[in-house]
Amino acid sequence: MKNYDWIVVGAGITGAAIAYELAKTGLTVLLLEQQETPDNATRYSYGGLAYWSGTTPLTRQLCEEAIALYQNLDLELDADTEFRELDLLLTIESDSDPQATAESYSHFAIPPRLLNIKEACELEPLLNPEAIAGGLTVKHGHINPAKTTQGYIQAFLRAGGTMHIAQVIDLPAISSANAGKLRGVRTSNETYHSENILICAGGFSRQLLKCADIPIKLYFTHAEVIETPPVDLNLRTLIMPANLQRFHLEAESTKVDELWQHHNEPVAPILDVGAVQFQDGSLRLGQISRVLTDPCANINAEESEKWLRTNIQQVLPKLGNLPGNWHHCLVAFSGDRLPLIGNIPGYDGIHIFSGFSNPLVIVPPLARRFAKFVAGGEDEIITQLSPGR
């Protein structure tokens, strides 16, 4: 059985990017993904790149690095990520104060510009003017997340990496005398050996580590969207609410960590009306976020889809009844909106790369930094994101 320098578990955008960067340094890397056809958070992402959204020196630096990286990523990966720039339109609810909402964005690297109702509807004619009090707009990057991930995977394979479709079911310890030291991962078919395991399984990361009795303050929501086939309508902008509820939901749900030890619903679900159209004409409409601590919890798809469509129709009337399918995935997050990156304290050889609140922007630069860090380089940013912080 071949031994690898690194085994990366999960081939969404996080796992694909870090596997590529590790292989690029000359390490032997195995990438494991449980599904032949991805059904993860990357697959159902809006694809937005919020370069403008840095609020601290750390996040601003990562956003700047991401801009430079994405401008050359198609050439580097020999792939079409569908990278482009478009207008982000943050809708302000009709009962909200536009000036106060705009002020709440003043600390961002590039504060969005305030629009009145008429200006917002001129920028996005599909909006219902009666549903908003105005909007905020800023230039926003955009990619096709599935194509970008595949680009990373193909570049990883060309760099000498190995990928298998297999579900990881255990993280076996070397021996009871060496508890906390891992030797590899076990799938339903076989065991793969490595001194370094990197968990990039998104919302399933917590459950996977829990099965190995490894505690970690990594959480997840159940996210729900509607995906349409290509349509003739032209959505000019990427729509999201200015007063996003998801971040508040995440913060509230992690106040009592003990609730995550059993199957609970710490807070009520929320719905943030958003929409984006991809270059093939298809739309992604969403999203509902539920905090159900059981990753395999059952969700009533019919009721959820009805809730989504009713609210989308209020803001974007022509989109609410478009043909499309409801989808559901897990989205990982941390307790402080910064990702968990690095060795898990007390467990030699087991690492985490997950919990990104702004993933598509900061994953690529952090993957590059992490690969250089484990190769022996110093990196203050990676150190700051340690799961032991």
Side-chain angles (χ1 to χ4, degrees):
M1 175 65 66
K2 181 177 179 179
N3 284 286
Y4 297 89
D5 296 322
W6 285 80
I7 295 176
V8 177
V9 180
I13 186 69
T14 55
I18 194 61
Y20 164 71
E21 295 291 352
L22 288 169
K24 209 170 64 168
T25 67
L27 296 166
T28 57
V29 183
L30 172 65
L31 177 61
L32 295 175
E33 168 57 40
Q34 66 176 343
Q35 296 167 321
E36 187 78 44
T37 301
D39 194 39
N40 51 27
T42 299
R43 166 68 179 79
Y44 299 116
S45 165
Y46 282 8
L49 305 173
Y51 298 136
W52 54 275
S53 64
T55 57
T56 65
L58 185 152
T59 55
R60 290 185 184 196
Q61 181 175 344
L62 289 174
C63 285
E64 289 175 2
E65 291 177 14
I67 293 172
L69 196 155
Y70 269 110
Q71 287 174 342
N72 297 292
L73 193 58
D74 280 17
L75 182 62
E76 179 177 346
L77 301 182
D78 189 22
D80 180 11
T81 65
E82 297 187 0
F83 173 68
R84 57 176 171 155
E85 187 177 75
L86 76 169
D87 293 309
L88 173 67
L89 181 52
L90 302 167
T91 56
I92 302 173
E93 291 183 347
S94 58
D95 59 353
S96 296
D97 181 346
Q99 291 293 341
T101 302
E103 180 61 27
S104 70
Y105 281 82
S106 62
H107 62 300
F108 284 72
I110 304 174
R113 178 170 58 91
L114 179 61
L115 304 175
N116 60 34
I117 297 174
K118 181 175 181 290
E119 291 169 330
C121 292
E122 286 174 349
L123 185 62
E124 181 49 72
L126 294 181
L127 274 175
N128 173 14
E130 296 182 359
I132 61 173
L136 299 170
T137 189
V138 65
K139 291 296 182 182
H140 199 70
H142 190 257
I143 57 168
N144 183 307
K147 289 186 176 181
T148 302
T149 301
Q150 279 303 308
Y152 267 119
I153 290 173
Q154 293 305 313
F156 162 70
L157 296 174
R158 290 194 299 270
T162 303
M163 182 175 179
H164 293 315
I165 303 299
Q167 182 177 8
V168 174
I169 58 175
D170 192 17
L171 304 172
I174 288 178
S175 68
S176 58
N178 277 318
K181 177 71 174 178
L182 297 180
R183 67 181 182 189
V185 301
R186 182 179 297 129
T187 71
S188 54
N189 299 321
E190 56 186 301
T191 297
Y192 299 95
H193 299 282
S194 175
E195 291 295 307
N196 292 287
I197 314 300
L198 184 57
I199 305 299
C200 304
F204 288 102
S205 297
R206 181 187 176 97
Q207 184 72 10
L208 180 58
L209 292 167
K210 182 179 179 181
C211 290
D213 294 321
I214 300 175
I216 191 166
K217 290 190 175 182
L218 180 70
Y219 313 95
F220 55 87
T221 56
H222 294 251
E224 303 165 48
V225 300
I226 294 171
E227 188 174 57
T228 80
V231 297
D232 291 334
L233 288 174
N234 179 27
L235 183 70
R236 296 181 183 177
T237 62
L238 193 160
I239 298 288
M240 293 183 69
N243 297 307
L244 199 68
Q245 300 178 72
R246 180 168 64 87
F247 295 137
H248 178 72
L249 173 96
E250 292 175 356
E252 288 295 311
S253 68
T254 57
K255 286 183 175 180
V256 183
D257 195 67
E258 289 75 14
L259 292 175
W260 288 81
Q261 307 310 315
H262 307 283
H263 293 169
N264 285 297
E265 186 172 11
V267 294
I270 59 91
L271 197 164
D272 288 317
V273 173
V276 66
Q277 188 166 35
F278 288 83
Q279 291 190 14
D280 68 352
S282 65
L283 289 157
R284 210 149 290 163
L285 311 171
Q287 83 176 29
I288 296 170
S289 296
R290 299 180 191 273
V291 181
L292 298 168
T293 61
D294 177 4
C296 300
N298 290 321
I299 296 173
N300 188 315
E302 184 177 351
E303 289 185 3
S304 289
E305 182 172 347
K306 182 179 179 180
W307 187 23
L308 269 169
R309 288 186 179 278
T310 298
N311 282 268
I312 292 165
Q313 193 168 24
Q314 290 174 0
V315 180
L316 297 157
K318 293 186 177 181
L319 304 187
N321 290 322
L322 288 174
N325 295 316
W326 174 91
H327 295 281
H328 157 261
C329 64
L330 300 184
V331 176
F333 66 95
S334 73
D336 62 4
R337 292 182 60 180
L338 290 174
L340 304 181
I341 296 178
N343 181 248
I344 299 176
Y347 297 89
D348 291 341
I350 186 75
H351 309 261
I352 188 77
F353 192 77
S354 189
F356 294 83
S357 290
N358 190 9
L360 296 181
V361 171
I362 63 175
V363 162
L366 283 173
R368 187 155 296 180
R369 282 177 168 273
F370 182 76
K372 292 178 180 178
F373 178 74
V374 300
E378 295 185 2
D379 195 299
E380 292 185 358
I381 287 182
I382 295 298
T383 302
Q384 290 179 60
L385 300 177
S386 165
R389 63 181 184 265

